[in-house]
Amino acid sequence: MYATKVSDRVYILDTFALGHQGTVSAYLVNGPKPTLVDCGYASSYENVLQGLAEVGVMPTDLRYLIPTHVHLDHAGATGRLLKEMPNAEVLAHERGVPHLVDPTRLIESSTKVFGSAIMASYGLPEPIPADRVRAVGRETSLDLGDGLSATLIHTPGHAPHQISVVLDRTKAMFTADAVGIVYPGMKALIPTTPPPSFNPSELVATIGTIRQMKPTELLVPHFGVRKDVGWVFDRTTELVQRWVEEVKGLWKKGMSLDEATEVMLREVAKDAGAADLPIYAQVSVRTSVMGIIHYLEKNF
Ligand SMILES: [Zn+2]
């Protein structure tokens, strides 16, 4: 099963990223103008099509694809999917659009971070024709038909070109990576602070912005629906700030990325009440520590 209904007109599509269940999602808003929020890795595009098929949505029905930011787990499959979706338009933040149209630099910088073997498993994003992308700015309203509408809002911090999406009627919010990782069945939250452009003060300000929109539920890409909105916001804010301070201390002591990751892994495991974390959670912790070190190197 790839698709599960989670809210009024909203389905979560499990992309089974790299074969793992429950780690990277796309969401379908199944109104008169079917809309995908996030698309998953390029290598999982067939799973997204499978999920749509389960709901009874044809690729030709899709009207909007909204990759919340250009990171490969969110936007990687957009170009590939668009080829099957002749009636769809892509909406992305104006700072992300150049990377969707020409992903050369994005592929280069991601390969630097993850290495070419991991990049091969993610799959490479395909360029998106410029005339099929609409750039959005600080706030954009989108009519999805039949009284259904959404607000796209700029939510920088995790990445400078990130947007989140709120359904106006229900106040369900597709957070993108503005909030931490909350895997189902794992009690701990993991901050999402990856390289190359994580900015802690922007991320904390973003939580303030989206909190004011009073969402009733959070549709989190990693992974699933959270009704405990206040807890997720509080915990994200608290942990982003704490992790930056802690990693700063470790980094000043001269610890390597691997050593600092070990320390933070132990903390998350303790928080989760587990002896060991699943491999995908370990990778998330390492990527977040890497992003904080990258930020520290640029700023201190
Ligand atoms: Zn992500």
Side-chain angles (χ1 to χ4, degrees):
M1 261 256 293
Y2 293 90
T4 309
K5 188 166 188 199
V6 289
S7 184
D8 182 36
R9 294 190 189 252
V10 178
Y11 292 78
I12 186 169
L13 309 181
D14 192 334
T15 70
F16 284 82
L18 317 177
H20 295 296
Q21 187 177 3
T23 60
V24 177
S25 65
Y27 286 94
L28 168 70
V29 184
N30 194 22
K33 300 180 182 179
T35 298
L36 259 187
V37 181
D38 282 329
C39 298
Y41 287 114
S43 58
S44 29
Y45 84 93
E46 283 169 319
N47 299 339
V48 175
L49 291 175
Q50 193 62 42
L52 293 172
E54 283 178 13
V55 184
V57 172
M58 304 283 291
T60 49
D61 294 337
L62 263 289
R63 292 292 298 276
Y64 299 114
L65 301 185
I66 309 178
T68 56
H69 55 299
V70 306
H71 292 168
L72 299 174
D73 51 334
H74 297 258
T78 313
R80 184 62 188 79
L81 287 171
L82 199 64
K83 281 186 174 167
E84 323 248 337
M85 301 174 172
N87 302 311
E89 178 185 16
V90 176
L91 282 92
H93 189 261
E94 56 199 5
R95 291 181 67 176
V97 169
H99 300 291
L100 296 176
V101 173
D102 177 6
T104 314
R105 271 182 52 213
L106 175 68
I107 292 170
E108 275 170 19
S109 71
S110 307
T111 306
K112 226 189 264 172
V113 172
F114 298 110
S116 44
I118 291 176
M119 278 297 279
S121 69
Y122 291 167
L124 299 185
E126 294 185 20
I128 295 169
D131 60 0
R132 299 195 63 189
V133 193
R134 193 198 312 178
V136 302
R138 203 178 61 80
E139 195 174 318
T140 302
S141 184
L142 189 64
D143 176 15
L144 302 178
D146 193 20
L148 194 63
S149 63
T151 301
L152 282 51
I153 180 143
H154 187 210
T155 50
H158 172 79
H161 54 267
Q162 182 177 257
I163 54 176
S164 303
V165 180
V166 187
L167 295 180
D168 298 325
R169 194 160 61 195
T170 59
K171 296 275 180 213
M173 172 179 276
F174 305 89
T175 57
D177 288 333
V179 302
I181 293 168
V182 279
Y183 291 121
M186 199 175 104
K187 204 165 83 195
L189 179 146
I190 303 171
T192 40
T193 60
S197 35
F198 157 63
N199 181 304
S201 55
E202 283 186 2
L203 203 158
V204 169
T206 277
I207 297 288
T209 306
I210 59 178
R211 196 194 284 270
Q212 277 177 9
M213 298 179 84
K214 297 191 167 49
T216 52
E217 58 186 357
L218 305 179
L219 303 155
V220 183
H222 319 290
F223 182 99
V225 184
R226 299 294 294 221
K227 305 274 189 190
D228 51 349
V229 175
W231 184 86
V232 173
F233 286 162
D234 290 346
R235 195 73 180 145
T236 298
T237 307
E238 180 192 340
L239 284 187
V240 165
Q241 291 169 322
R242 192 201 296 170
W243 277 44
V244 169
E245 283 314 306
E246 276 195 59
V247 173
K248 192 177 182 179
L250 303 173
W251 174 70
K252 279 190 168 164
K253 275 193 225 159
M255 273 198 191
S256 67
L257 167 64
D258 287 343
E259 291 165 333
T261 300
E262 272 308 310
V263 174
M264 301 318 285
L265 276 173
R266 278 199 296 274
E267 241 174 66
V268 178
K270 196 175 148 209
D271 202 14
D276 267 318
L277 299 177
I279 182 71
Y280 49 83
Q282 293 183 28
V283 172
S284 300
V285 170
R286 188 173 195 275
T287 307
S288 286
V289 173
M290 198 191 292
I292 294 171
I293 291 176
H294 188 81
Y295 164 79
L296 294 169
E297 283 170 345
K298 276 192 297 187
N299 293 281
F300 291 92

